[in-house]
């Protein structure tokens, strides 16, 4: 019983650390995408919207994460964008027109 609890705690710790790293990757990609098209990345953060298990191109299970962020072209209006990651790899970034 104690071994199961320890394994659950270790798995939770690894998931937490992986989530922190994935959020850093999503934030950096969102910031870079905004900078490329001369937009302002707002609040300097992304928010998690979805977490699921999906298969990658090699058929292995990976964690799929979808993040949302906000940006502005003039500083007046806020627009939404999405960053999608599979594991630590960027799938795509969508930004409202």
């Amino acid at each position: 019983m104690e071994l199961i609890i320890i394994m659950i705690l270790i798995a939770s710790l690894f998931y937490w650390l992986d989530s922190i790293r994935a959020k850093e990757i999503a934030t950096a990609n969102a910031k870079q995408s905004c900078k490329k098209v001369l937009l302002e990345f707002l609040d300097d953060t992304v928010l998690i919207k979805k977490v699921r298990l999906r298969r990658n191109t090699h058929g292995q299970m990976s964690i799929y994460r979808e993040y949302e962020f906000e940006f502005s072209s003039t500083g007046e209006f806020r627009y939404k964008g999405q960053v999608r990651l599979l594991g630590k790899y960027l799938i795509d970034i969508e930004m409202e027109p």
Side-chain angles (χ1 to χ4, degrees):
M1 185 66 175
E2 291 173 2
L3 182 60
I4 293 172
I5 293 172
I6 291 171
M7 289 174 59
I8 290 171
L9 288 174
I10 290 171
S12 298
L13 177 66
F14 279 117
Y15 175 76
W16 179 67
L17 292 173
D18 187 59
S19 294
I20 290 171
R21 182 68 182 131
K23 185 174 181 176
E24 290 171 353
I25 292 168
T27 301
N29 281 295
K31 192 180 289 188
Q32 183 180 25
S33 291
C34 288
K35 189 176 182 179
K36 276 184 187 177
V37 291
L38 303 174
L39 296 171
E40 183 182 358
F41 180 63
L42 300 176
D43 304 327
D44 203 35
T45 191
V46 294
L47 301 171
I48 189 79
K49 289 297 174 183
K50 285 185 187 177
V51 177
R52 296 184 178 159
L53 287 176
R54 286 198 176 165
R55 294 196 183 274
N56 62 19
T57 55
H58 303 293
Q60 300 168 334
M61 294 302 283
S62 291
I63 299 174
Y64 169 82
R65 292 179 175 96
E66 196 170 291
Y67 295 91
E68 191 173 89
F69 65 96
E70 293 184 336
F71 62 93
S72 178
S73 58
T74 62
E76 221 176 293
F77 300 104
R78 288 179 171 258
Y79 300 98
K80 293 188 186 269
Q82 292 183 334
V83 178
R84 293 180 186 91
L85 300 176
L86 187 58
K88 291 183 175 79
Y89 300 102
L90 177 68
I91 296 175
D92 71 342
I93 296 178
E94 269 184 31
M95 298 168 76
E96 289 180 350

